[in-house]
Structure formats: structure tokens, C-alpha cells
Amino acid sequence: MPISNHRKRPICVARSFLSRHAAKEELSQAVSHLESLTEQGIRLPFEVLASLLQRCGETRSLKQGKWIHRHLKITGFKRPNTLLSNHLIGMYMKCGKPIDACKVFDRMRFRNLYSWNNMISGFVKSGMLVRAREVFDSMPERDVVSWNTMVVGYARNGNVNEALWVYRELRRSGVKYNEFSFAGVLTACVKSREVQLSRQAHGQVMVAGFMANVVLSCSVMDAYAKCGQMESARRCFDEMAVKDSYIWTTLISGYSKVGDMEAAKKLFCEMPEKDAVSWAALVAGYVRQGSGDQALQLLREMIALRVKPEQFTFSSCLCAASASLGHGKQIHGYMIRTNVSPNAIVISSLIDMYSKSGSLEASDRVFHLCGDKQDCVVVWNTMISALAQHGLGHKALRVLDDMIKLRVLPNRTTLGVILSACSSHSGLVEEGIRWFDSMTADYGIVPDQEHYACLIDLLGRAGCFEVLMSRIEKMPFRPDEHIWNTILGVSRIHGNVELGKKAAEELSKLDAEQKEASRR
């Protein structure tokens, strides 16, 4: 009898624990007791272990999840039942360990639909669409969740054609679709910005009778707005019975992006409850249209109304203040006074604002006061660009060296700004060529037309026309008008009539080809 009570007590404790909303620390304490239970030969019921694994996944507690997996192995469940295996897969996927999830999946004796969908969903959320597709194609049977997950996965990753193909196959498969089936295809419409595709999706949502779904009707409106079809977007908006702040903001943003700030402001004023995001959408619209004063006035109104600005609002307003050091300092001062912890984009905007206002020293101070720059390549790129704009190529190269030493990987933007730094009043030809070649060889960055235009500008300004022509001949694509315009510009600088004539002829050919294509 005492043994029975001894066994029941930890089980009761665990069940009591699961009835509360456990924090990560409490979860750690609960799982740490598993070792003592194992020594006593006690194994918790499957449903308790499953709930613990679910909590581990929700809190991204990989260490505790592995403890539970170890507990199962020690207590004779090296190949857990389907319920526990599914929860192990979910835990590993949520903790960013898809390989461990695969091992569990491969060892399962019996897999149900949830097992397969769990794997697909995990791979999709990890951005591993090829692996997700392999699992999807291997499924003995699929339900609507399987199809929807693939459609949404492809759409969110910008693979519009694949998303549409899977959606069409779903409609042909005989599997009954639901509201979530349209969520993926509408995301594809938003990404593609194709009017006809958006109209077709809108029609199918209407025929299916799902326009009452707020999320879907908002997605239809957003798709029209992204295509610049504001009349259609407004019609969808007017037909909605329920409008939350997100829906109002989506339409305000749509008007802002097509430059109709009068309609955007009017809608904003009609909005019953404004939040920080709706303010940010209007501010961004004014900045985009070059109306910096109105953007800054909106920021002042926000502050007066005690609406806490979003990080995006600060970034937009700093762009608007780039021509006015006084305004930029006021924004920066407000951020310091209100203990705003700026993200990488806002820090970059501060560096850029001070640089364009002629205060490179302040840019440098912001850059060096920035805490952990380990994962902030955008901040490094902005500082290199600021130094390039001021003709300080050598300093820009030193910043790039520091960036590499900290193991911050350069990206496509880095290549562009460093070539600009080598070219802009610096004449660092050899260094520019070395970094151009290094980016491909060491970091796998394949240069595009814009990068080649930067390289050609560097070589042309230095008068290295033989090297310039050699590089053009080795380009993996045909030079576009941007490159030939760059060549024409440097030819004028050095009076290279022959090369200038060739550039003009090539530009004339490209112009004729474009006109011919437009007539087809």
C-alpha cells in the first residue's frame, strides 16, 4: 500500500502542475524530477508526458524536451507510441531541431495523418520547403491541412507559382477545401501583385461564401491595394460588416503607397480608434511622397496624444529629418528621454540621418554605442555607406575588416557599399577588385548588374579601361542600360571618345529592343 501511494504522489504533483500556466522556470523544475522518478522505476502516464512535451515546445525548452525523451528511452520506450512521437516531433520542430524530429518520425511504427502534417508544418516553419515537399509527396493520404500548409508555405516564401499549383491540385483532388485554403492563395496574390489573379481569387472566395470571414476579406482588400486597384480595395472595405484597426490601417497604407495622401488622411481621420500602427502607415506615406514636414508634424501630434510611436515610425521620421539636423536630434533626444531601445533599422536610420546632415562624428558615435552588432549586418552596411558618402574609403575598409573579424557575414548590400566606398573620391581600385572577387569566392555572393555597374564606375573613374572591358566581356549576363550609362559617364570624364561611342551605340540598341518588345 505505501508503495502505491509513493507512486501516485509524483503523478498527482505533475497533473497539478499541468493544471496551471507554468513558466519556463517551473517547467524546468518539473522535468528535473524525472531523474528521481526514473531511479524509483516510476514512469508518468503518457498523457502527462505528452502535455509536458507540448509545454516544452511552446516555451522553446529544448533541454527539458530532451530530458523527457531520455526519460522515455530509459524507461523502455526507445520507440514511443504514436501520441508521444507526435509530441516529440512537435517539440523538436518548435525548438528548431528538424533533424531530431526526422529521427523520431523515421523510427515510428505507426504514423497517422497528424504525424505527417506535423512534419510538413515543421519544415515549412523552418523554411525547408524542399523537405516539406518531399514529405508531402510521400504521404499515403492527405487531408485539407496537408494541402493548406503547403500552399501557405510556398506563398509566404514568395514561391507564388508553386503555391498556385498546389492550390489548383487541391481543388482537383476532391478534398473539401475550407477558409484556410484561400488564406494561402490570397497571400500569393499579395506577393505577386497581379490584378487578374487577385480578381480570380476574390471571385472564388465569394462563390465559396467566405467573404464574411474578416481575415479573408481583409486579404482580398490588401491584394487589390498592393496592385494599386484602390477602387476595388475601397469597395471591399465598404462591404465589410466588421472593421478592426488592422483593416483600416491596410487601406490607409494602400492609399499612401499609391500616393493618394488626401484619401489616406481622410480615412485616417474617420478611423474610430487609431493605434500606433495606423499612425505609422500615414507617417510612412508622407515620407514616401517627400512630405517630410507633414510626417514630422504627425509625430509631434502622436507624442502630444501620448501614443507611443512604433520603431517603424521613428525610422520613417528620421528619414524625413535627414535634411534637418535639428529635427533629427529632437527625435533622437525623445528616444533617449523615453528609454526607447532602438532596433537595427532605427539605429541605421540614426546613422544615416546624422551622416546626411553632415555630422559624421555623431554617426560614428551612434554606431559605436550600438550594443551587440553580431547579427546586425544592416548597421554595418549603413556605417560603411556613410563613410563612403564622405569619401573616407580607407575607414570604410577598416569597418568592413572589423565586421569580418566579428564573423558578421556580408550580404549583397555590403558588396555594393564597399565598391562605392572604394570608388567615391578614394581611388582604391585594387582593394575594390579584391573585395569584388572575394565576395563571390569566400561568401557565395553572385554579383548582379548593379554590382558590376559599381565595379565599372570604380575602374572607369581610375581610367583602367582595359581592365574595365575585360570585366565586361567576362560578365555572366548581357550588360543592361545601367552599366552602359555608367560606361558613358566615365568615358566623358576621361575623354575616351571610342568607348563613349560604343556605349552610346549599345544604349541605342537596348532602346530599340525595348520599343520593339512593347509593340508585340
Side-chain angles (χ1 to χ4, degrees):
M1 193 67 179
I3 294 173
S4 176
N5 288 336
H6 182 67
R7 286 173 180 269
K8 282 181 181 177
R9 190 173 57 82
I11 295 171
C12 292
V13 170
R15 282 182 171 146
S16 173
F17 159 76
L18 289 168
S19 68
R20 303 193 308 272
H21 294 288
K24 193 168 183 176
E25 294 76 16
E26 292 172 313
L27 177 64
S28 181
Q29 289 175 3
V31 174
S32 67
H33 290 305
L34 287 176
E35 188 171 0
S36 61
L37 294 178
T38 303
E39 289 171 358
Q40 297 170 52
I42 298 170
R43 182 172 60 232
L44 292 174
F46 293 150
E47 67 271 16
V48 174
L49 289 169
S51 297
L52 282 171
L53 284 168
Q54 185 175 345
R55 198 66 60 82
C56 289
E58 289 167 355
T59 56
R60 307 293 187 269
S61 305
L62 178 63
K63 184 180 177 182
Q64 285 69 40
K66 283 190 169 183
W67 263 104
I68 297 169
H69 196 177
R70 179 173 173 269
H71 173 75
L72 287 169
K73 290 176 180 177
I74 291 171
T75 55
F77 276 85
K78 290 184 179 179
R79 296 177 74 176
N81 63 22
T82 304
L83 171 71
L84 287 174
S85 294
N86 287 341
H87 278 85
L88 280 167
I89 290 168
M91 182 275 295
Y92 280 126
M93 284 296 192
K94 286 174 183 174
C95 292
K97 294 291 180 181
I99 292 174
D100 291 315
C102 281
K103 288 176 182 176
V104 175
F105 182 77
D106 290 341
R107 290 179 63 83
M108 288 179 71
R109 287 192 184 92
F110 304 104
R111 299 170 185 146
N112 56 20
L113 256 173
Y114 187 84
S115 314
W116 291 91
N117 287 339
N118 215 1
M119 289 296 292
I120 294 170
S121 177
F123 280 134
V124 164
K125 287 174 182 174
S126 302
M128 303 170 71
L129 289 174
V130 173
R131 294 297 301 274
R133 182 60 179 270
E134 286 172 358
V135 175
F136 179 80
D137 289 341
S138 302
M139 291 180 76
E141 61 173 322
R142 305 182 185 107
D143 64 359
V144 69
V145 175
S146 324
W147 290 96
N148 290 350
T149 305
M150 288 305 303
V151 175
V152 170
Y154 278 130
R156 286 181 179 167
N157 280 273
N159 296 353
V160 175
N161 291 334
E162 286 295 322
L164 294 175
W165 182 86
V166 175
Y167 171 74
R168 291 188 191 108
E169 290 300 305
L170 161 63
R171 297 298 295 263
R172 294 191 190 108
S173 69
V175 173
K176 188 170 176 58
Y177 56 84
N178 58 22
E179 292 103 315
F180 298 105
S181 308
F182 291 104
V185 78
L186 285 168
T187 301
C189 293
V190 170
K191 295 269 187 182
S192 69
R193 305 192 179 196
E194 292 182 17
V195 180
Q196 279 306 112
L197 183 62
S198 299
R199 292 198 190 285
Q200 287 175 23
H202 183 190
Q204 290 192 13
V205 173
M206 286 181 70
V207 169
F210 293 141
M211 280 304 288
N213 183 301
V214 176
V215 174
L216 292 183
S217 55
C218 184
S219 297
V220 170
M221 184 185 74
D222 191 24
Y224 281 130
K226 289 287 193 302
C227 296
Q229 300 293 308
M230 294 312 300
E231 285 186 19
S232 298
R234 182 61 198 242
R235 198 156 42 245
C236 288
F237 177 83
D238 291 337
E239 289 170 359
M240 291 182 195
V242 179
K243 303 182 183 81
D244 60 14
S245 61
Y246 178 79
I247 291 169
W248 283 87
T249 304
T250 300
L251 194 59
I252 290 167
S253 181
Y255 279 124
S256 298
K257 285 175 182 174
V258 297
D260 191 349
M261 293 311 300
E262 185 180 341
K265 182 65 184 289
K266 184 174 182 293
L267 193 67
F268 178 79
C269 292
E270 293 170 1
M271 192 173 176
E273 289 184 25
K274 303 170 183 65
D275 59 14
V277 181
S278 54
W279 283 90
L282 195 63
V283 168
Y286 280 122
V287 173
R288 203 178 291 112
Q289 295 304 310
S291 304
D293 290 341
Q294 286 171 289
L296 294 169
Q297 178 58 34
L298 275 176
L299 179 63
R300 283 190 283 270
E301 288 177 25
M302 283 184 77
I303 293 167
L305 292 168
R306 296 186 179 181
V307 179
K308 188 177 179 181
E310 296 264 300
Q311 297 266 1
F312 182 68
T313 307
F314 286 122
S315 178
S316 298
C317 288
L318 286 166
C319 290
S322 60
S324 171
L325 182 59
H327 285 143
K329 281 184 172 180
Q330 286 175 19
I331 296 167
H332 193 186
Y334 172 81
M335 290 167 62
I336 293 168
R337 288 193 305 276
T338 55
N339 296 315
V340 172
S341 180
N343 62 20
I345 301 300
V346 176
I347 291 167
S348 297
S349 298
L350 281 166
I351 293 168
D352 189 55
M353 181 274 294
Y354 280 121
S355 171
K356 287 177 178 173
S357 301
S359 184
L360 187 62
E361 186 181 338
S363 292
D364 190 60
R365 196 156 52 245
V366 170
F367 176 74
H368 284 100
L369 286 173
C370 174
D372 183 16
K373 295 189 281 286
Q374 194 78 38
D375 299 316
C376 298
V377 66
V378 64
V379 174
W380 291 92
N381 289 345
T382 307
M383 192 65 226
I384 293 168
S385 178
L387 292 166
Q389 288 165 12
H390 287 261
L392 300 172
H394 287 286
K395 280 191 175 181
L397 286 169
R398 283 200 293 274
V399 171
L400 179 60
D401 285 334
D402 291 340
M403 173 180 158
I404 301 296
K405 284 173 188 172
L406 281 174
R407 296 183 179 178
V408 179
L409 293 176
N411 59 17
R412 305 184 69 79
T413 305
T414 314
L415 177 54
V417 294
I418 205 62
L419 287 171
S420 175
C422 292
S423 174
S424 183
H425 313 295
S426 303
L428 301 169
V429 180
E430 289 183 12
E431 289 84 351
I433 293 172
R434 179 171 63 84
W435 276 109
F436 184 89
D437 294 335
S438 173
M439 289 285 177
T440 303
D442 299 333
Y443 303 103
I445 298 169
V446 179
D448 57 21
Q449 297 269 12
E450 190 175 339
H451 292 128
Y452 272 98
C454 290
L455 179 65
I456 286 160
D457 184 62
L458 168 66
L459 295 168
R461 285 177 184 274
C464 304
F465 290 110
E466 286 186 18
V467 181
L468 184 154
M469 292 309 296
S470 173
R471 288 281 176 166
I472 287 177
E473 288 167 6
K474 292 176 183 176
M475 279 172 58
F477 37 68
R478 184 186 176 191
D480 64 2
E481 60 182 26
H482 188 189
I483 288 176
W484 287 116
N485 272 317
T486 304
I487 294 170
L488 187 62
V490 295
S491 299
R492 283 173 180 159
I493 293 170
H494 290 275
N496 191 325
V497 178
E498 186 179 344
L499 186 57
K501 186 179 177 183
K502 178 176 175 57
E505 287 172 355
E506 292 295 334
L507 283 167
S508 181
K509 282 182 192 175
L510 287 170
D511 185 52
E513 288 172 9
Q514 286 174 2
K515 286 178 180 176
E516 179 65 27
S518 65
R519 283 196 291 265
R520 286 174 190 168

